[in-house]
Amino acid sequence: MTKHTKEILDLLDEHYGKEYVCYLNHENAWQLLIATMLSAQCTDARVNIVTKELFQKYKSPADFAKADVKELEQDIHSTGFYRNKARNIIACCKTLCEKYGGEVPREIDQLTALAGVGRKTANVIRGNIYHEPSVVVDTHVKRISNKLGLVSGDDPVKLEYDLMKVLPRDHWIRYNIQIIRLGREICKAPTPRCELCFLTGCCPAYQSGTEKKAGKTSRTVKAGKAETK
Ligand code: SF4
């Protein structure tokens, strides 16, 4: 691990802790799988509102597998892209029932073969449910990892592999958790709040002037003090 990487990871641990958290409410693997599918182009807060009632109505993958597609579309309407999401959830749950006895498989190839499940969703399941070290590349991780100079590029799969090379294995899961929080509270898109950031000293985007050097750099936001989305 380079000095630059260590400095960033130490500061993330110091400010956000090492605690494991999942921002999508769920009680088991299949609920997390569906919640993650619904979270595409949608906030976690909105997904949590929708799944609160959804998981009361559909109590198992079998319930989703036999759902009426039009009715499910209405149930998940507010998460956006509801037609695709409804079709994929039904197809995915049919496979879970027919091939895996209603359980969610563990291997990345098995997960990504499910309808509507890409590497991001698969890695969420592997990290959260099976505690397999995995790097989840979402919009925050993509944007901020580039700014911090840990990786460069846009392709999520390449970024995932590059981050696996750069980050120590024991940081893979929590890096995503910490960066999501940083992205929601401080390093926001499109305008990061660098004046509140504790990473200015090791952020090439800030130091090169790519990001506006606003306010006093010594003022930082401690865990729990900044607003959330
Ligand atoms: S210094 Fe600015 S650009 Fe760099 S991580 Fe912090 S908020 Fe983002």
Side-chain angles (χ1 to χ4, degrees), residues 42-46 139-140 180-181 183-185 188 226-229:
C42 182
T43 64
D44 291 350
R46 165 56 52 191
T139 180
H140 298 295
I180 287 176
R181 186 155 175 202
R184 287 177 175 170
E185 297 177 352
K188 297 180 175 212
E227 86 266 23
T228 52
K229 209 195 285 187

Side-chain angles (χ1 to χ4, degrees), residues 143-145 147-148 179 182-183 186-188 191-207 210-212:
R143 184 178 77 256
I144 297 172
S145 301
K147 286 185 191 299
L148 291 172
I179 292 293
L182 181 71
I186 301 173
C187 193
K188 297 180 175 212
T191 311
R193 303 170 72 194
C194 300
E195 74 276 16
L196 301 177
C197 190
F198 53 86
L199 290 170
T200 50
C202 48
C203 176
Y206 176 79
Q207 289 176 359
T210 312
E211 305 302 344
K212 194 179 165 201

Side-chain angles (χ1 to χ4, degrees), residues 122-156:
N123 280 326
V124 168
I125 295 297
R126 283 170 62 75
N128 284 269
I129 301 297
Y130 298 117
H131 305 292
E132 294 275 359
S134 47
V135 176
V136 175
V137 178
D138 67 1
T139 180
H140 298 295
V141 168
K142 189 161 95 172
R143 184 178 77 256
I144 297 172
S145 301
N146 271 283
K147 286 185 191 299
L148 291 172
L150 292 173
V151 288
S152 81
D154 256 352
D155 176 47

Side-chain angles (χ1 to χ4, degrees), residues 78-113:
S78 65
T79 68
F81 299 94
Y82 57 92
R83 288 202 179 93
N84 269 346
K85 287 178 182 177
R87 259 204 324 270
N88 283 333
I89 287 170
I90 291 172
C92 172
C93 286
K94 277 184 179 161
T95 307
L96 293 187
C97 294
E98 288 162 9
K99 235 176 141 179
Y100 300 106
E103 301 294 323
V104 176
R106 181 185 193 117
E107 301 305 325
I108 190 100
D109 292 347
Q110 295 171 317
L111 285 161
T112 53

